[in-house]
Amino acid sequence: MTHFPSKRLPRPHAVLAAVAGLLAACCLGAAGEARAAAAAPGTPAAAQSDAPRDAAPAAAPAGAGTASASRWTDRAHGFASLAGGTTGGAGGKVVTVSDQASLARYAAAGEPYVIRVQGAVAVAPFGSDIVVTSNKTIIGVGDTGEIVHGELHLNPGAHNVIIRNLTIRDSYVEGDWDGKTSDFDAIQMDTVDHVWIDHNRFTHMGDGLLDIRKDSQYITVSYNRFSNHNKALGIGWTTNVLTQITMDHNWFTGTKQRNPSADNCAYAHLYNNYLSAQVADGDPVWTYGNWSRGRTKMVIENSYYDRIQHPYQADASAELVERGSILRRTSGRTDEWGAAFDPGAFYAYRLDPAAAVPALVTRFSGPQKQIGDAVTLNVPGDYPTVQAAVDAVPDGNPVGVTVAVAPGTYREKVFIPASKPNIALRGTGHRRSDTVIVYDTPAEYGGSTGSATVRIAANDVTARNLTFSNDFDEAAVELKGEQALAMKTTGDRIVFENTAFLGNQDTLMTDSPKLTTPSRVYVRDSYIEGDVDFVYGRATTVIERSVIRLLSRGSATNNGYMTAASTWTGHPYGFLITRCEVVSDAPEQSFHLGRPWHPGGEPAAVGQVLIRDTALPAAVKSSPWTDMSGFSWRDARFAEYRNHGPGATVTADRPQLSDADAKAYTVTAYLEGADGWAPHRRTTH
């Protein structure tokens, strides 16, 4: 951008407020956005709101849950959450595999990995093991991930493993119903700790579906589906009493025994499980539901048993407490004796009503498309910086990865390269001002692009509930290149929702890889502030239902320019600002709506800007468009339509669209392109 020679006058109180805001994220909103609200008491609530659009529900206390609450998170619960927790491959690289060799290589690696299994991976020879070492997450992509004819095996000493959203099937040896000749489990673990088995489907295997053996500790088994098998789930097989296990919301259907068999477990907490359609083979002993064996202490809560022989039973040396479960068409043993233990003394959990369990578990157990569609990388919980999480995303990433950023101020630069599409940046705080990514580089050091706090070169990137800031103080120093970008995009199909962009000159640049290449950006329910050319570039950009604040540089006559479009002459659509509130404390008649930017004197960069259905403040000049670098604004494509407010007067220097022409300049028209992109129809409210 052409450097604007006149400096913004120092504003001591504003500078102090901004610094305080960056040191305490909750103050940042007050220092920036609250000023805008005060300047424009008529601002629509949707535009001013600093509340999140996608905040996660708060954790519920034990026993207080409802059937409508979320069915999954990306964090282990129950016993797997204790003693340091279970995070799997968090902090490591994310890889996607679709063949046995790749799966085996990453699963056995010495470093952490999040391993995404896409499609069916056939294992050979039949029944072979895939060895899984410590610090791994293995998760199915969407609901497609399958391991066929093979077993995941955790050897002694493995720890911190998550296995989610997979189908493991079909290593059954015909005629070997008891699994005595081939030990082909779905998952087997020996002397391991901190393992979370979640939302998987296990069916038709050679021995057990899930074997948790030899003093394994801190295990949670949740929302899995066990079907079409003899021995479903065995725990223990040692005289030591060490294993702690949580089992919740699992569905055992068409199984015969071990649902589970818990042998010498220190603590076994079973709640909200559903046992149905048990194999009816007339076996009077070895057809059963839950069995507390040896010296196990077992607690069963709010489970549902339908057509089950011996729903729950206990050895004389074991303890079993049951409460709140429903038995329907059952027969045989329902043993209850001893005090067992109090699960609530170990962790908080939510009990669903037993009557709701069949519907909940049949719907939500097993692989879920919503889980595998997007991996979540947590900052700073799993990755110390936002850039570290972005770096963990694989090149050519085919499906969604969410970088969930906890509240705080992250003083770093972030670059999402073109090779890493399908990323969502999401602040997890209550307000967008809770989570701030900020740096202070001016163009003097690295050029305009190098000044950007965040750069997005990839396609299909979304940012929500975040603040992006460049807090370079142009009033404090004399530099030739004072442009200081908070955000620069060159990718296509970029969405910003409930975000804030803070800066002065060149705050938000939406660009494309080259002049004739189209890129599209959609900004909604957001806040943008600046003074000189602070919304600019050549991308097709829609800003809707947002607050745009024109900062005062202390001049009585010229405080800056809101837009500087460089749209290619072959593209009909540049910037659309619609249903927004433009606010300012600058003097009346001191701010331009925009000027035409021709980078490097490029004559084919003929800016297009339409401002429609938007409130304009008195700071806007009655002749709001102006020339730039020898190019006349009259040769650009600038227009207004149905604006209102004290700055929306109609003069000879303010081109207005006709009602007929306005029908061709809608949000849909700007964004749809050749692929029908329509983020305005599906973005969350």
Side-chain angles (χ1 to χ4, degrees):
M1 297 291 295
T2 301
H3 172 67
F4 188 77
S6 175
K7 295 184 65 65
R8 177 171 56 93
L9 297 181
R11 295 179 294 146
H13 297 296
V15 171
L16 288 174
V19 171
L22 291 170
L23 293 174
C26 62
C27 297
L28 189 147
E33 297 178 58
R35 290 199 303 267
T43 301
Q48 283 194 29
S49 174
D50 196 30
R53 307 290 184 220
D54 54 358
T66 65
S68 61
S70 174
R71 290 292 113 192
W72 49 77
T73 70
D74 63 347
R75 292 297 187 185
H77 59 281
F79 278 112
S81 69
L82 304 182
T86 303
T87 57
K93 296 284 186 180
V94 180
V95 295
T96 301
V97 302
S98 57
D99 62 89
Q100 180 180 351
S102 298
L103 174 59
R105 181 172 72 254
Y106 290 118
E111 60 268 33
Y113 275 105
V114 176
I115 305 166
R116 313 183 71 198
V117 179
Q118 186 168 38
V121 175
V123 175
F126 188 91
S128 297
D129 292 351
I130 301 290
V131 174
V132 182
T133 57
S134 301
N135 304 314
K136 300 293 183 295
T137 295
I138 304 178
I139 183 169
V141 174
D143 53 6
T144 70
E146 296 190 336
I147 297 172
V148 185
H149 310 321
E151 170 186 310
L152 297 179
H153 192 98
L154 283 65
N155 287 326
H159 60 273
N160 191 32
V161 174
I162 296 172
I163 300 172
R164 300 188 78 194
N165 218 51
L166 290 169
T167 292
I168 305 180
R169 61 176 175 86
D170 295 335
S171 67
Y172 178 69
V173 177
E174 289 300 327
D176 187 18
W177 177 240
D178 288 332
K180 296 298 185 182
T181 61
S182 299
D183 188 14
F184 296 160
D185 301 323
I187 301 175
Q188 186 178 106
M189 59 191 80
D190 293 334
T191 321
V192 303
D193 67 273
H194 291 92
V195 178
W196 183 28
I197 309 295
D198 179 69
H199 278 97
N200 301 289
R201 181 171 74 96
F202 306 114
T203 186
H204 205 228
M205 299 297 287
D207 183 29
L209 294 176
L210 178 57
D211 267 8
I212 301 169
R213 315 189 313 176
K214 300 180 181 177
D215 303 333
S216 296
Q217 298 193 70
Y218 299 109
I219 313 294
T220 295
V221 178
S222 54
Y223 288 96
N224 300 286
R225 186 173 298 189
F226 300 84
S227 66
N228 191 20
H229 200 69
N230 181 356
K231 296 176 288 188
L233 196 167
I235 312 164
W237 323 131
T238 172
T239 58
N240 298 322
V241 184
L242 294 176
T243 299
Q244 313 93 338
I245 186 166
T246 301
M247 294 182 55
D248 68 280
H249 296 90
N250 299 288
W251 185 15
F252 297 86
T253 183
T255 60
K256 173 180 166 66
Q257 59 180 306
R258 299 185 185 176
N259 304 291
S261 167
D263 183 53
N264 285 320
C265 290
Y267 307 108
H269 182 205
L270 284 57
Y271 68 94
N272 288 144
N273 296 297
Y274 180 36
L275 283 71
S276 71
Q278 186 180 58
V279 171
D281 61 358
D283 186 332
V285 176
W286 299 104
T287 301
Y288 62 89
N290 311 142
W291 194 342
S292 180
R293 302 177 64 174
R295 290 181 288 162
T296 293
K297 293 181 179 180
M298 179 179 288
V299 174
I300 300 172
E301 298 182 280
N302 288 25
S303 290
Y304 197 105
Y305 303 83
D306 184 10
R307 293 167 289 173
I308 302 298
Q309 175 181 280
H310 306 317
Y312 42 87
Q313 59 189 18
D315 291 354
S317 55
E319 299 181 33
L320 193 157
V321 170
E322 183 282 323
R323 46 181 174 259
S325 299
I326 292 176
L327 281 68
R328 181 173 181 267
R329 297 182 288 184
T330 62
S331 63
R333 295 173 61 176
T334 52
D335 302 336
E336 297 184 55
W337 50 68
F341 67 102
D342 175 15
F346 291 87
Y347 51 78
Y349 61 99
R350 177 189 62 200
L351 281 176
D352 288 310
V357 164
L360 286 173
V361 171
T362 55
R363 177 180 176 188
F364 293 113
S365 66
Q368 304 287 314
K369 183 175 176 58
Q370 298 93 323
I371 294 176
D373 263 356
V375 167
T376 299
L377 311 181
N378 294 284
V379 179
D382 302 331
Y383 300 84
T385 64
V386 178
Q387 187 64 56
V390 170
D391 291 343
V393 177
D395 286 349
N397 173 49
V399 288
V401 173
T402 296
V403 176
V405 188
T409 298
Y410 299 82
R411 183 162 286 277
E412 61 173 301
K413 288 191 172 185
V414 177
F415 175 49
I416 303 178
S419 61
K420 297 179 185 289
N422 300 305
I423 290 177
L425 300 177
R426 177 171 60 86
T428 63
H430 181 66
R431 298 172 298 274
R432 62 186 172 223
S433 58
D434 291 341
T435 309
V436 183
I437 302 173
V438 58
Y439 216 73
D440 60 354
T441 303
E444 183 80 2
Y445 311 123
S448 179
T449 296
S451 77
T453 298
V454 177
R455 286 195 293 142
I456 301 174
N459 295 340
D460 299 298
V461 174
T462 297
R464 289 192 176 97
N465 204 38
L466 290 161
T467 292
F468 304 103
S469 175
N470 191 319
D471 64 351
F472 166 68
D473 186 0
E474 65 182 26
V477 294
E478 287 284 350
L479 295 175
K480 181 180 179 181
E482 293 186 347
Q483 303 92 328
L485 283 65
M487 171 66 66
K488 178 177 179 177
T489 71
T490 51
D492 188 27
R493 296 184 299 271
I494 309 298
V495 174
F496 296 103
E497 186 181 24
N498 193 36
T499 52
F501 304 90
L502 308 182
N504 292 106
Q505 184 172 351
D506 294 6
T507 304
L508 172 61
M509 182 183 192
T510 57
D511 215 33
S512 68
K514 60 182 181 180
L515 179 62
T516 58
T517 300
S519 288
R520 292 159 294 173
V521 178
Y522 181 55
V523 182
R524 183 160 86 172
D525 298 325
S526 294
Y527 173 87
I528 309 167
E529 70 174 25
D531 46 39
V532 175
D533 305 328
F534 66 95
V535 177
Y536 77 110
R538 62 176 169 244
T540 296
T541 304
V542 172
I543 302 173
E544 184 176 26
R545 295 189 341 196
S546 297
V547 171
I548 302 173
R549 185 165 191 262
L550 315 177
L551 298 177
S552 176
R553 294 181 299 135
S555 171
T557 59
N558 185 7
N559 282 292
Y561 316 88
M562 186 169 74
T563 67
S566 56
T567 320
W568 179 49
T569 185
H571 291 158
Y573 301 117
F575 282 93
L576 171 62
I577 297 172
T578 180
R579 296 195 296 163
C580 291
E581 187 88 14
V582 180
V583 299
S584 183
D585 57 3
E588 293 186 17
Q589 298 284 320
S590 69
F591 223 101
H592 296 87
L593 291 179
R595 54 183 183 168
W597 180 37
H598 293 257
E602 172 58 64
V606 183
Q608 193 277 326
V609 178
L610 171 61
I611 303 172
R612 62 177 296 170
D613 301 298
T614 289
L616 300 178
V620 172
K621 290 176 172 285
S622 56
S623 297
W625 309 103
T626 189
D627 303 339
M628 184 178 187
S629 302
F631 290 91
S632 171
W633 74 265
R634 296 183 184 277
D635 295 327
R637 295 167 286 175
F638 297 157
E640 299 177 73
Y641 179 69
R642 292 196 314 193
N643 293 324
H644 54 280
T649 57
V650 177
T651 70
D653 289 332
R654 303 185 74 156
Q656 304 288 316
L657 286 188
S658 67
D659 290 344
D661 289 341
K663 294 177 181 178
Y665 291 87
T666 63
V667 174
T668 297
Y670 273 72
L671 297 179
E672 63 181 351
D675 56 7
W677 191 51
H680 55 299
R681 293 178 181 159
R682 65 176 181 268
T683 308
T684 57
H685 291 267

